[in-house]
């Protein structure tokens, strides 16, 4: 496996509780200059929305598995919260993971959607931070770095003010629909 000592060593650290040191696209542009074509192709496959193509990298496979399983656990816990826990449509397809189930049980009751989403992204970040790699200069380490940048971009995209504005807009639209229907006796 190739080692990217200079490139990996030149990258600033990514922390969940600090601003992102760079944009993901900037990282990809730098990686394209430094990585082999094959390794860069594997790096690109590591994303929140898995891209088509054969995945051979174990980190990408582990990430996809974790992402899928954790999403299923969240769906199941939300179904239970909404009284639909017995509905087979909301039962997980992947094997039961008690640790992820516990995390999902802690996150689902969070009433503030922004706080809940940050908690979910925090779990993603923690998974990546604790994932073993053969070397801090390996492609695996660079894939984890790229995924962490994607998480940071998702967190940075949240704005409480914008969220409130969108909620208020949707609420007004719903009120207008209700008012117009009542005006017509619907």
């Amino acid at each position: 496996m190739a080692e990217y000592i200079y490139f990996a060593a030149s990258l600033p650290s990514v922390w969940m509780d600090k601003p992102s040191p760079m944009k993901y696209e900037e990282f990809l542009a730098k990686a394209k200059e430094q990585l082999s074509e094959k390794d860069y192709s594997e790096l690109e496959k590591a994303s929140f929305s898995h891209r088509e193509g054969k995945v051979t990298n174990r980190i990408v496979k582990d990430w996809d598995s974790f992402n899928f399983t954790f999403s299923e656990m969240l769906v199941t816990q939300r179904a239970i919260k909404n009284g639909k826990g017995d509905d087979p449509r909301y039962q997980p397809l992947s094997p039961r993971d008690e640790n992820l189930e516990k995390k999902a049980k802690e996150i689902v009751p969070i009433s503030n959607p922004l706080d809940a989403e940050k908690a979910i992204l925090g779990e993603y970040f923690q998974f990546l931070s604790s994932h073993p790699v053969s070397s801090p200069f390996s492609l695996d380490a660079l894939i984890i770095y790229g995924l962490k940048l994607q998480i940071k971009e998702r967190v940075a995209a949240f704005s409480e003010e914008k969220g409130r504005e969108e909620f208020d807009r949707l609420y007004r639209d719903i009120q207008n629909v209700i008012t117009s229907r009542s005006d017509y006796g619907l």
Side-chain angles (χ1 to χ4, degrees), residues 33-129:
E33 294 173 2
Q34 302 291 322
L35 275 58
S36 70
E37 200 171 303
K38 178 182 178 272
D39 285 352
Y40 181 77
S41 175
E42 287 298 311
L43 177 71
E44 279 189 308
K45 292 176 185 171
S47 70
F48 274 91
S49 54
H50 179 70
R51 297 178 184 161
E52 294 300 315
K54 185 178 178 185
V55 175
T56 57
N57 182 279
R58 75 176 178 86
I59 299 293
V60 177
K61 287 179 181 179
D62 290 350
W63 168 253
D64 284 346
S65 176
F66 172 81
N67 193 352
F68 180 78
T69 303
F70 191 42
S71 295
E72 283 194 322
M73 296 298 149
L74 289 166
V75 166
T76 300
Q77 291 306 311
R78 287 178 181 136
I80 291 168
K81 180 182 175 184
N82 292 315
K84 297 182 181 192
D86 294 333
D87 191 326
R89 294 178 297 174
Y90 304 114
Q91 298 305 309
L93 301 173
S94 54
R96 186 170 181 228
D97 182 315
E98 290 181 21
N99 187 40
L100 290 180
E101 186 175 7
K102 179 182 175 206
K103 295 294 183 184
K105 283 180 181 179
E106 292 170 4
I107 291 171
V108 167
I110 298 173
S111 60
N112 182 316
L114 179 59
D115 291 340
E117 186 65 18
K118 285 182 179 178
I120 291 167
L121 294 175
E123 288 303 318
Y124 286 141
F125 200 90
Q126 179 58 38
F127 168 79
L128 294 169
S129 295

Side-chain angles (χ1 to χ4, degrees), residues 104-163:
K105 283 180 181 179
E106 292 170 4
I107 291 171
V108 167
I110 298 173
S111 60
N112 182 316
L114 179 59
D115 291 340
E117 186 65 18
K118 285 182 179 178
I120 291 167
L121 294 175
E123 288 303 318
Y124 286 141
F125 200 90
Q126 179 58 38
F127 168 79
L128 294 169
S129 295
S130 63
H131 202 292
V133 293
S134 59
S135 162
F137 309 111
S138 65
L139 173 62
D140 291 349
L142 294 172
I143 287 171
I144 288 173
Y145 187 88
L147 287 166
K148 285 180 173 183
L149 287 176
Q150 291 176 60
I151 291 169
K152 293 298 296 174
E153 284 188 359
R154 289 176 74 110
V155 170
F158 300 141
S159 163
E160 198 166 329
E161 295 80 29
K162 288 180 184 177

Side-chain angles (χ1 to χ4, degrees), residues 8-21:
S10 71
L11 296 171
S13 296
V14 180
W15 302 98
M16 188 62 183
D17 60 346
K18 295 184 178 171
S20 185

